[in-house]
Amino acid sequence: MKKRLLAVLITAAILVASLTVFLVVRHVRNNRAPELSVVRERVIALVNASHAVNEIFWGEGLATYPRIYREYHERVPFYLSEDAGQYTYSESPTSNKLYYYTLSDEVHGDVIAYQYCLKVGDGIYVDVQNGASLTITDKTKYRYAKKTTDTAGEALLELGGYRYVALPDYEESEAEFYYTSSDQQYYDYVRDDAGYLTTAEIKSLAESVYAKDFLSSVYESIFTGITVSENSDGTLYARYIDYVDGEGRGWLMKSNIWKSADVARVYLFDTMRMSESRKSKRTDVYIDIDTFVPGDEENIKTVTVAITLQDGSWFLNAATY
């Protein structure tokens, strides 16, 4: 009886050991990392695509409109005398009043912008320089003359030792975009032609390259901001925010106090090999690739590229710069 019981126990132990070995072997096989040849092209595509994301997130970022405020030029009145429909400048106030302002030009120096449309009756407007009939739409228009002591050119007017010479083709330079005093201090407007108009569009690009688990640790600093203390320097502002202006238009804005990093890096894909320092498995693969920073080609650095399997496709699981 004891011998039979012992035989049963031995048999059971052998079966358990065999089952354990089988399960371990199956687990190892099921968890085996794919061959490099299987993921090689996907890795190359992901690394190349990551450069744009890296630049937006950590590099110089999306281009913004330069912070230019519209300069206000004080309007100064001037007066005209009229004789038989001919108008001339008057040093004394008259009922014929128009306005001018002075601006500084890099080429011409001081330039005078002056009105030339005078209302002379109900719905009647006249050009004080040539007598031509105008309309109310001309009332806010200006012509230009340069203020000079040069004797060249026919002067419209000579006054106070200066001559005012017409600039018929002159156009005031206009900035592409003007900021106002009500705009946010720490954020600049991203250009319309920068390629992305909302944070959602940036996220869509990022999620085509990087794994969602990795991005979840990045999004807070990029799109939300982090407060580490109540001190004035204890807040890291989000790099990008969505903003709706007073007219209801949506804008993408970028922080102007973030410190950008140099994210340029060239990958030598011919050196690609499975990492020896980090063990790969079925869903997570680590690949070593030699790289260099542009301009420092002699300083080769090995970067370990991490990819992870997400929804049946491979995505980067660590930054590549």
PDB file of all heavy atoms in Angstrom, residues 266-302:
ATOM      1  N   VAL A 266      20.859  62.873 -35.878  1.00  0.00           N
ATOM      2  CA  VAL A 266      20.878  62.039 -37.073  1.00  0.00           C
ATOM      3  C   VAL A 266      21.097  60.587 -36.657  1.00  0.00           C
ATOM      4  O   VAL A 266      22.040  60.282 -35.915  1.00  0.00           O
ATOM      5  CB  VAL A 266      21.987  62.484 -38.045  1.00  0.00           C
ATOM      6  CG1 VAL A 266      22.059  61.541 -39.249  1.00  0.00           C
ATOM      7  CG2 VAL A 266      21.741  63.918 -38.494  1.00  0.00           C
ATOM      8  N   TYR A 267      20.221  59.696 -37.150  1.00  0.00           N
ATOM      9  CA  TYR A 267      20.310  58.269 -36.830  1.00  0.00           C
ATOM     10  C   TYR A 267      20.959  57.518 -37.989  1.00  0.00           C
ATOM     11  O   TYR A 267      20.566  57.680 -39.152  1.00  0.00           O
ATOM     12  CB  TYR A 267      18.926  57.705 -36.564  1.00  0.00           C
ATOM     13  CG  TYR A 267      18.400  58.010 -35.175  1.00  0.00           C
ATOM     14  CD1 TYR A 267      17.950  59.292 -34.847  1.00  0.00           C
ATOM     15  CD2 TYR A 267      18.368  57.028 -34.190  1.00  0.00           C
ATOM     16  CE1 TYR A 267      17.485  59.582 -33.576  1.00  0.00           C
ATOM     17  CE2 TYR A 267      17.905  57.314 -32.904  1.00  0.00           C
ATOM     18  CZ  TYR A 267      17.464  58.585 -32.604  1.00  0.00           C
ATOM     19  OH  TYR A 267      17.003  58.870 -31.345  1.00  0.00           O
ATOM     20  N   LEU A 268      21.953  56.700 -37.662  1.00  0.00           N
ATOM     21  CA  LEU A 268      22.632  55.873 -38.657  1.00  0.00           C
ATOM     22  C   LEU A 268      21.966  54.503 -38.647  1.00  0.00           C
ATOM     23  O   LEU A 268      22.370  53.590 -37.909  1.00  0.00           O
ATOM     24  CB  LEU A 268      24.122  55.773 -38.324  1.00  0.00           C
ATOM     25  CG  LEU A 268      24.842  57.124 -38.191  1.00  0.00           C
ATOM     26  CD1 LEU A 268      26.273  56.932 -37.723  1.00  0.00           C
ATOM     27  CD2 LEU A 268      24.789  57.896 -39.496  1.00  0.00           C
ATOM     28  N   PHE A 269      20.935  54.356 -39.459  1.00  0.00           N
ATOM     29  CA  PHE A 269      20.092  53.156 -39.385  1.00  0.00           C
ATOM     30  C   PHE A 269      20.829  51.887 -39.779  1.00  0.00           C
ATOM     31  O   PHE A 269      20.407  50.783 -39.410  1.00  0.00           O
ATOM     32  CB  PHE A 269      18.854  53.346 -40.255  1.00  0.00           C
ATOM     33  CG  PHE A 269      17.920  54.419 -39.750  1.00  0.00           C
ATOM     34  CD1 PHE A 269      17.692  55.569 -40.485  1.00  0.00           C
ATOM     35  CD2 PHE A 269      17.283  54.273 -38.524  1.00  0.00           C
ATOM     36  CE1 PHE A 269      16.845  56.551 -40.024  1.00  0.00           C
ATOM     37  CE2 PHE A 269      16.433  55.256 -38.042  1.00  0.00           C
ATOM     38  CZ  PHE A 269      16.214  56.405 -38.791  1.00  0.00           C
ATOM     39  N   ASP A 270      21.935  52.005 -40.508  1.00  0.00           N
ATOM     40  CA  ASP A 270      22.714  50.811 -40.853  1.00  0.00           C
ATOM     41  C   ASP A 270      23.343  50.165 -39.628  1.00  0.00           C
ATOM     42  O   ASP A 270      23.761  49.001 -39.684  1.00  0.00           O
ATOM     43  CB  ASP A 270      23.820  51.173 -41.851  1.00  0.00           C
ATOM     44  CG  ASP A 270      23.260  51.494 -43.233  1.00  0.00           C
ATOM     45  OD1 ASP A 270      22.095  51.139 -43.483  1.00  0.00           O
ATOM     46  OD2 ASP A 270      23.994  52.106 -44.042  1.00  0.00           O
ATOM     47  N   THR A 271      23.422  50.909 -38.507  1.00  0.00           N
ATOM     48  CA  THR A 271      24.020  50.370 -37.285  1.00  0.00           C
ATOM     49  C   THR A 271      22.961  49.761 -36.358  1.00  0.00           C
ATOM     50  O   THR A 271      23.282  49.354 -35.238  1.00  0.00           O
ATOM     51  CB  THR A 271      24.770  51.467 -36.520  1.00  0.00           C
ATOM     52  OG1 THR A 271      23.818  52.433 -36.023  1.00  0.00           O
ATOM     53  CG2 THR A 271      25.769  52.171 -37.419  1.00  0.00           C
ATOM     54  N   MET A 272      21.734  49.701 -36.795  1.00  0.00           N
ATOM     55  CA  MET A 272      20.635  49.227 -35.947  1.00  0.00           C
ATOM     56  C   MET A 272      20.869  47.783 -35.493  1.00  0.00           C
ATOM     57  O   MET A 272      21.193  46.906 -36.287  1.00  0.00           O
ATOM     58  CB  MET A 272      19.317  49.324 -36.726  1.00  0.00           C
ATOM     59  CG  MET A 272      18.074  49.074 -35.894  1.00  0.00           C
ATOM     60  SD  MET A 272      16.557  49.094 -36.914  1.00  0.00           S
ATOM     61  CE  MET A 272      16.651  50.703 -37.683  1.00  0.00           C
ATOM     62  N   ARG A 273      20.721  47.528 -34.188  1.00  0.00           N
ATOM     63  CA  ARG A 273      20.846  46.174 -33.638  1.00  0.00           C
ATOM     64  C   ARG A 273      20.014  46.085 -32.362  1.00  0.00           C
ATOM     65  O   ARG A 273      19.710  47.091 -31.739  1.00  0.00           O
ATOM     66  CB  ARG A 273      22.300  45.800 -33.346  1.00  0.00           C
ATOM     67  CG  ARG A 273      23.000  46.593 -32.233  1.00  0.00           C
ATOM     68  CD  ARG A 273      23.775  47.755 -32.753  1.00  0.00           C
ATOM     69  NE  ARG A 273      24.574  48.432 -31.716  1.00  0.00           N
ATOM     70  CZ  ARG A 273      25.061  49.654 -31.873  1.00  0.00           C
ATOM     71  NH1 ARG A 273      24.850  50.351 -32.984  1.00  0.00           N
ATOM     72  NH2 ARG A 273      25.807  50.204 -30.911  1.00  0.00           N
ATOM     73  N   MET A 274      19.669  44.873 -32.020  1.00  0.00           N
ATOM     74  CA  MET A 274      18.915  44.650 -30.789  1.00  0.00           C
ATOM     75  C   MET A 274      19.791  45.048 -29.603  1.00  0.00           C
ATOM     76  O   MET A 274      20.978  44.771 -29.567  1.00  0.00           O
ATOM     77  CB  MET A 274      18.495  43.182 -30.670  1.00  0.00           C
ATOM     78  CG  MET A 274      17.590  42.707 -31.792  1.00  0.00           C
ATOM     79  SD  MET A 274      15.985  43.570 -31.870  1.00  0.00           S
ATOM     80  CE  MET A 274      15.159  42.843 -30.451  1.00  0.00           C
ATOM     81  N   SER A 275      19.179  45.728 -28.636  1.00  0.00           N
ATOM     82  CA  SER A 275      19.936  46.212 -27.481  1.00  0.00           C
ATOM     83  C   SER A 275      20.418  45.043 -26.625  1.00  0.00           C
ATOM     84  O   SER A 275      19.670  44.092 -26.370  1.00  0.00           O
ATOM     85  CB  SER A 275      19.056  47.147 -26.649  1.00  0.00           C
ATOM     86  OG  SER A 275      19.734  47.554 -25.480  1.00  0.00           O
ATOM     87  N   GLU A 276      21.664  45.153 -26.182  1.00  0.00           N
ATOM     88  CA  GLU A 276      22.210  44.138 -25.270  1.00  0.00           C
ATOM     89  C   GLU A 276      22.000  44.535 -23.823  1.00  0.00           C
ATOM     90  O   GLU A 276      21.983  43.680 -22.939  1.00  0.00           O
ATOM     91  CB  GLU A 276      23.699  43.939 -25.549  1.00  0.00           C
ATOM     92  CG  GLU A 276      23.998  43.371 -26.935  1.00  0.00           C
ATOM     93  CD  GLU A 276      25.475  43.163 -27.154  1.00  0.00           C
ATOM     94  OE1 GLU A 276      26.257  43.506 -26.238  1.00  0.00           O
ATOM     95  OE2 GLU A 276      25.863  42.657 -28.229  1.00  0.00           O
ATOM     96  N   SER A 277      21.822  45.818 -23.572  1.00  0.00           N
ATOM     97  CA  SER A 277      21.674  46.282 -22.189  1.00  0.00           C
ATOM     98  C   SER A 277      20.233  46.196 -21.693  1.00  0.00           C
ATOM     99  O   SER A 277      19.995  46.151 -20.483  1.00  0.00           O
ATOM    100  CB  SER A 277      22.176  47.727 -22.062  1.00  0.00           C
ATOM    101  OG  SER A 277      21.427  48.592 -22.911  1.00  0.00           O
ATOM    102  N   ARG A 278      19.282  46.207 -22.599  1.00  0.00           N
ATOM    103  CA  ARG A 278      17.868  46.119 -22.218  1.00  0.00           C
ATOM    104  C   ARG A 278      17.232  44.954 -22.960  1.00  0.00           C
ATOM    105  O   ARG A 278      17.309  44.853 -24.191  1.00  0.00           O
ATOM    106  CB  ARG A 278      17.133  47.419 -22.534  1.00  0.00           C
ATOM    107  CG  ARG A 278      17.728  48.640 -21.864  1.00  0.00           C
ATOM    108  CD  ARG A 278      16.802  49.822 -21.926  1.00  0.00           C
ATOM    109  NE  ARG A 278      15.583  49.601 -21.156  1.00  0.00           N
ATOM    110  CZ  ARG A 278      14.609  50.511 -21.012  1.00  0.00           C
ATOM    111  NH1 ARG A 278      14.738  51.696 -21.606  1.00  0.00           N
ATOM    112  NH2 ARG A 278      13.534  50.247 -20.308  1.00  0.00           N
ATOM    113  N   LYS A 279      16.601  44.089 -22.204  1.00  0.00           N
ATOM    114  CA  LYS A 279      16.038  42.864 -22.780  1.00  0.00           C
ATOM    115  C   LYS A 279      14.683  43.149 -23.417  1.00  0.00           C
ATOM    116  O   LYS A 279      13.791  43.709 -22.782  1.00  0.00           O
ATOM    117  CB  LYS A 279      15.899  41.786 -21.698  1.00  0.00           C
ATOM    118  CG  LYS A 279      15.421  40.445 -22.226  1.00  0.00           C
ATOM    119  CD  LYS A 279      15.446  39.399 -21.141  1.00  0.00           C
ATOM    120  CE  LYS A 279      14.932  38.056 -21.650  1.00  0.00           C
ATOM    121  NZ  LYS A 279      15.745  37.570 -22.785  1.00  0.00           N
ATOM    122  N   SER A 280      14.545  42.742 -24.648  1.00  0.00           N
ATOM    123  CA  SER A 280      13.289  42.927 -25.363  1.00  0.00           C
ATOM    124  C   SER A 280      12.348  41.757 -25.104  1.00  0.00           C
ATOM    125  O   SER A 280      12.760  40.668 -24.695  1.00  0.00           O
ATOM    126  CB  SER A 280      13.543  43.053 -26.877  1.00  0.00           C
ATOM    127  OG  SER A 280      14.338  44.178 -27.171  1.00  0.00           O
ATOM    128  N   LYS A 281      11.064  42.008 -25.333  1.00  0.00           N
ATOM    129  CA  LYS A 281      10.067  40.957 -25.235  1.00  0.00           C
ATOM    130  C   LYS A 281       9.035  41.159 -26.329  1.00  0.00           C
ATOM    131  O   LYS A 281       9.191  42.027 -27.186  1.00  0.00           O
ATOM    132  CB  LYS A 281       9.426  40.952 -23.848  1.00  0.00           C
ATOM    133  CG  LYS A 281       8.822  42.270 -23.417  1.00  0.00           C
ATOM    134  CD  LYS A 281       8.309  42.180 -21.988  1.00  0.00           C
ATOM    135  CE  LYS A 281       7.696  43.516 -21.555  1.00  0.00           C
ATOM    136  NZ  LYS A 281       7.196  43.466 -20.157  1.00  0.00           N
ATOM    137  N   ARG A 282       7.983  40.376 -26.286  1.00  0.00           N
ATOM    138  CA  ARG A 282       7.024  40.388 -27.392  1.00  0.00           C
ATOM    139  C   ARG A 282       6.416  41.762 -27.625  1.00  0.00           C
ATOM    140  O   ARG A 282       6.229  42.179 -28.767  1.00  0.00           O
ATOM    141  CB  ARG A 282       5.909  39.368 -27.117  1.00  0.00           C
ATOM    142  CG  ARG A 282       4.911  39.221 -28.271  1.00  0.00           C
ATOM    143  CD  ARG A 282       3.841  38.202 -27.932  1.00  0.00           C
ATOM    144  NE  ARG A 282       3.014  38.655 -26.820  1.00  0.00           N
ATOM    145  CZ  ARG A 282       1.924  39.436 -26.956  1.00  0.00           C
ATOM    146  NH1 ARG A 282       1.570  39.864 -28.158  1.00  0.00           N
ATOM    147  NH2 ARG A 282       1.214  39.789 -25.916  1.00  0.00           N
ATOM    148  N   THR A 283       6.082  42.478 -26.544  1.00  0.00           N
ATOM    149  CA  THR A 283       5.367  43.748 -26.692  1.00  0.00           C
ATOM    150  C   THR A 283       6.259  44.974 -26.506  1.00  0.00           C
ATOM    151  O   THR A 283       5.808  46.096 -26.728  1.00  0.00           O
ATOM    152  CB  THR A 283       4.209  43.833 -25.685  1.00  0.00           C
ATOM    153  OG1 THR A 283       4.744  43.708 -24.352  1.00  0.00           O
ATOM    154  CG2 THR A 283       3.190  42.735 -25.934  1.00  0.00           C
ATOM    155  N   ASP A 284       7.491  44.771 -26.089  1.00  0.00           N
ATOM    156  CA  ASP A 284       8.404  45.888 -25.873  1.00  0.00           C
ATOM    157  C   ASP A 284       9.778  45.524 -26.409  1.00  0.00           C
ATOM    158  O   ASP A 284      10.380  44.537 -25.972  1.00  0.00           O
ATOM    159  CB  ASP A 284       8.497  46.242 -24.383  1.00  0.00           C
ATOM    160  CG  ASP A 284       7.197  46.814 -23.857  1.00  0.00           C
ATOM    161  OD1 ASP A 284       6.938  48.006 -24.110  1.00  0.00           O
ATOM    162  OD2 ASP A 284       6.437  46.067 -23.200  1.00  0.00           O
ATOM    163  N   VAL A 285      10.257  46.348 -27.336  1.00  0.00           N
ATOM    164  CA  VAL A 285      11.520  46.053 -28.008  1.00  0.00           C
ATOM    165  C   VAL A 285      12.461  47.243 -27.833  1.00  0.00           C
ATOM    166  O   VAL A 285      12.045  48.399 -27.918  1.00  0.00           O
ATOM    167  CB  VAL A 285      11.295  45.767 -29.508  1.00  0.00           C
ATOM    168  CG1 VAL A 285      12.617  45.585 -30.234  1.00  0.00           C
ATOM    169  CG2 VAL A 285      10.414  44.526 -29.673  1.00  0.00           C
ATOM    170  N   TYR A 286      13.726  46.938 -27.599  1.00  0.00           N
ATOM    171  CA  TYR A 286      14.751  47.967 -27.411  1.00  0.00           C
ATOM    172  C   TYR A 286      15.830  47.771 -28.462  1.00  0.00           C
ATOM    173  O   TYR A 286      16.395  46.674 -28.584  1.00  0.00           O
ATOM    174  CB  TYR A 286      15.334  47.883 -26.007  1.00  0.00           C
ATOM    175  CG  TYR A 286      14.283  48.020 -24.945  1.00  0.00           C
ATOM    176  CD1 TYR A 286      13.709  46.890 -24.346  1.00  0.00           C
ATOM    177  CD2 TYR A 286      13.825  49.274 -24.553  1.00  0.00           C
ATOM    178  CE1 TYR A 286      12.723  47.017 -23.386  1.00  0.00           C
ATOM    179  CE2 TYR A 286      12.844  49.408 -23.586  1.00  0.00           C
ATOM    180  CZ  TYR A 286      12.291  48.276 -23.011  1.00  0.00           C
ATOM    181  OH  TYR A 286      11.309  48.400 -22.059  1.00  0.00           O
ATOM    182  N   ILE A 287      16.098  48.821 -29.216  1.00  0.00           N
ATOM    183  CA  ILE A 287      17.024  48.747 -30.343  1.00  0.00           C
ATOM    184  C   ILE A 287      18.074  49.847 -30.211  1.00  0.00           C
ATOM    185  O   ILE A 287      17.741  51.012 -29.986  1.00  0.00           O
ATOM    186  CB  ILE A 287      16.258  48.907 -31.674  1.00  0.00           C
ATOM    187  CG1 ILE A 287      15.267  47.745 -31.841  1.00  0.00           C
ATOM    188  CG2 ILE A 287      17.214  48.977 -32.855  1.00  0.00           C
ATOM    189  CD1 ILE A 287      14.311  47.932 -33.001  1.00  0.00           C
ATOM    190  N   ASP A 288      19.327  49.463 -30.321  1.00  0.00           N
ATOM    191  CA  ASP A 288      20.430  50.423 -30.256  1.00  0.00           C
ATOM    192  C   ASP A 288      20.766  50.914 -31.659  1.00  0.00           C
ATOM    193  O   ASP A 288      20.849  50.126 -32.610  1.00  0.00           O
ATOM    194  CB  ASP A 288      21.672  49.778 -29.638  1.00  0.00           C
ATOM    195  CG  ASP A 288      21.508  49.541 -28.140  1.00  0.00           C
ATOM    196  OD1 ASP A 288      20.617  50.172 -27.541  1.00  0.00           O
ATOM    197  OD2 ASP A 288      22.266  48.720 -27.587  1.00  0.00           O
ATOM    198  N   ILE A 289      20.938  52.245 -31.783  1.00  0.00           N
ATOM    199  CA  ILE A 289      21.296  52.855 -33.065  1.00  0.00           C
ATOM    200  C   ILE A 289      22.354  53.927 -32.806  1.00  0.00           C
ATOM    201  O   ILE A 289      22.209  54.740 -31.896  1.00  0.00           O
ATOM    202  CB  ILE A 289      20.072  53.492 -33.754  1.00  0.00           C
ATOM    203  CG1 ILE A 289      18.911  52.492 -33.871  1.00  0.00           C
ATOM    204  CG2 ILE A 289      20.452  54.024 -35.132  1.00  0.00           C
ATOM    205  CD1 ILE A 289      17.644  53.099 -34.451  1.00  0.00           C
ATOM    206  N   ASP A 290      23.399  53.933 -33.594  1.00  0.00           N
ATOM    207  CA  ASP A 290      24.413  54.980 -33.480  1.00  0.00           C
ATOM    208  C   ASP A 290      23.861  56.278 -34.068  1.00  0.00           C
ATOM    209  O   ASP A 290      23.176  56.265 -35.103  1.00  0.00           O
ATOM    210  CB  ASP A 290      25.694  54.576 -34.215  1.00  0.00           C
ATOM    211  CG  ASP A 290      26.414  53.434 -33.516  1.00  0.00           C
ATOM    212  OD1 ASP A 290      26.075  53.146 -32.352  1.00  0.00           O
ATOM    213  OD2 ASP A 290      27.298  52.818 -34.149  1.00  0.00           O
ATOM    214  N   THR A 291      24.180  57.402 -33.422  1.00  0.00           N
ATOM    215  CA  THR A 291      23.664  58.703 -33.843  1.00  0.00           C
ATOM    216  C   THR A 291      24.732  59.773 -33.677  1.00  0.00           C
ATOM    217  O   THR A 291      25.751  59.554 -33.022  1.00  0.00           O
ATOM    218  CB  THR A 291      22.431  59.113 -33.009  1.00  0.00           C
ATOM    219  OG1 THR A 291      22.876  59.481 -31.676  1.00  0.00           O
ATOM    220  CG2 THR A 291      21.418  57.992 -32.897  1.00  0.00           C
ATOM    221  N   PHE A 292      24.451  60.941 -34.252  1.00  0.00           N
ATOM    222  CA  PHE A 292      25.289  62.114 -33.983  1.00  0.00           C
ATOM    223  C   PHE A 292      24.445  63.367 -34.114  1.00  0.00           C
ATOM    224  O   PHE A 292      23.375  63.366 -34.737  1.00  0.00           O
ATOM    225  CB  PHE A 292      26.504  62.170 -34.915  1.00  0.00           C
ATOM    226  CG  PHE A 292      26.157  62.324 -36.373  1.00  0.00           C
ATOM    227  CD1 PHE A 292      25.894  63.582 -36.926  1.00  0.00           C
ATOM    228  CD2 PHE A 292      26.099  61.205 -37.203  1.00  0.00           C
ATOM    229  CE1 PHE A 292      25.586  63.722 -38.265  1.00  0.00           C
ATOM    230  CE2 PHE A 292      25.783  61.344 -38.548  1.00  0.00           C
ATOM    231  CZ  PHE A 292      25.524  62.604 -39.082  1.00  0.00           C
ATOM    232  N   VAL A 293      24.935  64.439 -33.511  1.00  0.00           N
ATOM    233  CA  VAL A 293      24.280  65.738 -33.613  1.00  0.00           C
ATOM    234  C   VAL A 293      24.864  66.459 -34.815  1.00  0.00           C
ATOM    235  O   VAL A 293      26.082  66.461 -34.998  1.00  0.00           O
ATOM    236  CB  VAL A 293      24.512  66.564 -32.326  1.00  0.00           C
ATOM    237  CG1 VAL A 293      23.970  67.980 -32.489  1.00  0.00           C
ATOM    238  CG2 VAL A 293      23.845  65.870 -31.146  1.00  0.00           C
ATOM    239  N   PRO A 294      24.030  67.045 -35.669  1.00  0.00           N
ATOM    240  CA  PRO A 294      24.557  67.763 -36.835  1.00  0.00           C
ATOM    241  C   PRO A 294      25.615  68.782 -36.436  1.00  0.00           C
ATOM    242  O   PRO A 294      25.432  69.551 -35.501  1.00  0.00           O
ATOM    243  CB  PRO A 294      23.309  68.461 -37.405  1.00  0.00           C
ATOM    244  CG  PRO A 294      22.171  67.585 -36.976  1.00  0.00           C
ATOM    245  CD  PRO A 294      22.553  67.074 -35.622  1.00  0.00           C
ATOM    246  N   GLY A 295      26.733  68.751 -37.152  1.00  0.00           N
ATOM    247  CA  GLY A 295      27.847  69.642 -36.841  1.00  0.00           C
ATOM    248  C   GLY A 295      28.880  69.006 -35.943  1.00  0.00           C
ATOM    249  O   GLY A 295      29.965  69.551 -35.749  1.00  0.00           O
ATOM    250  N   ASP A 296      28.539  67.845 -35.364  1.00  0.00           N
ATOM    251  CA  ASP A 296      29.471  67.131 -34.472  1.00  0.00           C
ATOM    252  C   ASP A 296      29.483  65.658 -34.879  1.00  0.00           C
ATOM    253  O   ASP A 296      29.249  64.772 -34.059  1.00  0.00           O
ATOM    254  CB  ASP A 296      29.027  67.310 -33.014  1.00  0.00           C
ATOM    255  CG  ASP A 296      30.087  66.825 -32.028  1.00  0.00           C
ATOM    256  OD1 ASP A 296      31.247  66.631 -32.443  1.00  0.00           O
ATOM    257  OD2 ASP A 296      29.746  66.625 -30.843  1.00  0.00           O
ATOM    258  N   GLU A 297      29.742  65.432 -36.160  1.00  0.00           N
ATOM    259  CA  GLU A 297      29.630  64.084 -36.724  1.00  0.00           C
ATOM    260  C   GLU A 297      30.617  63.088 -36.123  1.00  0.00           C
ATOM    261  O   GLU A 297      30.389  61.872 -36.171  1.00  0.00           O
ATOM    262  CB  GLU A 297      29.829  64.148 -38.251  1.00  0.00           C
ATOM    263  CG  GLU A 297      28.667  64.775 -39.003  1.00  0.00           C
ATOM    264  CD  GLU A 297      28.666  66.295 -38.941  1.00  0.00           C
ATOM    265  OE1 GLU A 297      29.605  66.868 -38.353  1.00  0.00           O
ATOM    266  OE2 GLU A 297      27.728  66.910 -39.478  1.00  0.00           O
ATOM    267  N   GLU A 298      31.704  63.577 -35.566  1.00  0.00           N
ATOM    268  CA  GLU A 298      32.724  62.667 -35.021  1.00  0.00           C
ATOM    269  C   GLU A 298      32.323  62.104 -33.663  1.00  0.00           C
ATOM    270  O   GLU A 298      32.849  61.078 -33.234  1.00  0.00           O
ATOM    271  CB  GLU A 298      34.062  63.417 -34.889  1.00  0.00           C
ATOM    272  CG  GLU A 298      34.600  63.963 -36.209  1.00  0.00           C
ATOM    273  CD  GLU A 298      34.822  62.861 -37.217  1.00  0.00           C
ATOM    274  OE1 GLU A 298      35.297  61.772 -36.808  1.00  0.00           O
ATOM    275  OE2 GLU A 298      34.520  63.076 -38.408  1.00  0.00           O
ATOM    276  N   ASN A 299      31.400  62.751 -33.004  1.00  0.00           N
ATOM    277  CA  ASN A 299      30.989  62.319 -31.667  1.00  0.00           C
ATOM    278  C   ASN A 299      29.777  61.400 -31.792  1.00  0.00           C
ATOM    279  O   ASN A 299      28.629  61.826 -31.724  1.00  0.00           O
ATOM    280  CB  ASN A 299      30.651  63.543 -30.806  1.00  0.00           C
ATOM    281  CG  ASN A 299      30.352  63.172 -29.368  1.00  0.00           C
ATOM    282  OD1 ASN A 299      30.641  62.050 -28.921  1.00  0.00           O
ATOM    283  ND2 ASN A 299      29.757  64.095 -28.647  1.00  0.00           N
ATOM    284  N   ILE A 300      30.037  60.132 -31.988  1.00  0.00           N
ATOM    285  CA  ILE A 300      28.968  59.150 -32.170  1.00  0.00           C
ATOM    286  C   ILE A 300      28.423  58.720 -30.802  1.00  0.00           C
ATOM    287  O   ILE A 300      29.179  58.367 -29.898  1.00  0.00           O
ATOM    288  CB  ILE A 300      29.478  57.914 -32.937  1.00  0.00           C
ATOM    289  CG1 ILE A 300      29.990  58.332 -34.319  1.00  0.00           C
ATOM    290  CG2 ILE A 300      28.357  56.886 -33.074  1.00  0.00           C
ATOM    291  CD1 ILE A 300      28.953  58.939 -35.216  1.00  0.00           C
ATOM    292  N   LYS A 301      27.104  58.759 -30.677  1.00  0.00           N
ATOM    293  CA  LYS A 301      26.456  58.335 -29.440  1.00  0.00           C
ATOM    294  C   LYS A 301      25.416  57.273 -29.765  1.00  0.00           C
ATOM    295  O   LYS A 301      24.624  57.428 -30.696  1.00  0.00           O
ATOM    296  CB  LYS A 301      25.776  59.524 -28.749  1.00  0.00           C
ATOM    297  CG  LYS A 301      25.004  59.145 -27.491  1.00  0.00           C
ATOM    298  CD  LYS A 301      24.296  60.352 -26.879  1.00  0.00           C
ATOM    299  CE  LYS A 301      23.482  59.936 -25.660  1.00  0.00           C
ATOM    300  NZ  LYS A 301      22.762  61.093 -25.055  1.00  0.00           N
ATOM    301  N   THR A 302      25.416  56.209 -28.985  1.00  0.00           N
ATOM    302  CA  THR A 302      24.429  55.149 -29.181  1.00  0.00           C
ATOM    303  C   THR A 302      23.167  55.495 -28.401  1.00  0.00           C
ATOM    304  O   THR A 302      23.211  55.757 -27.192  1.00  0.00           O
ATOM    305  CB  THR A 302      24.966  53.795 -28.711  1.00  0.00           C
ATOM    306  OG1 THR A 302      26.126  53.454 -29.482  1.00  0.00           O
ATOM    307  CG2 THR A 302      23.911  52.709 -28.882  1.00  0.00           C
TER     308      THR A 302
END
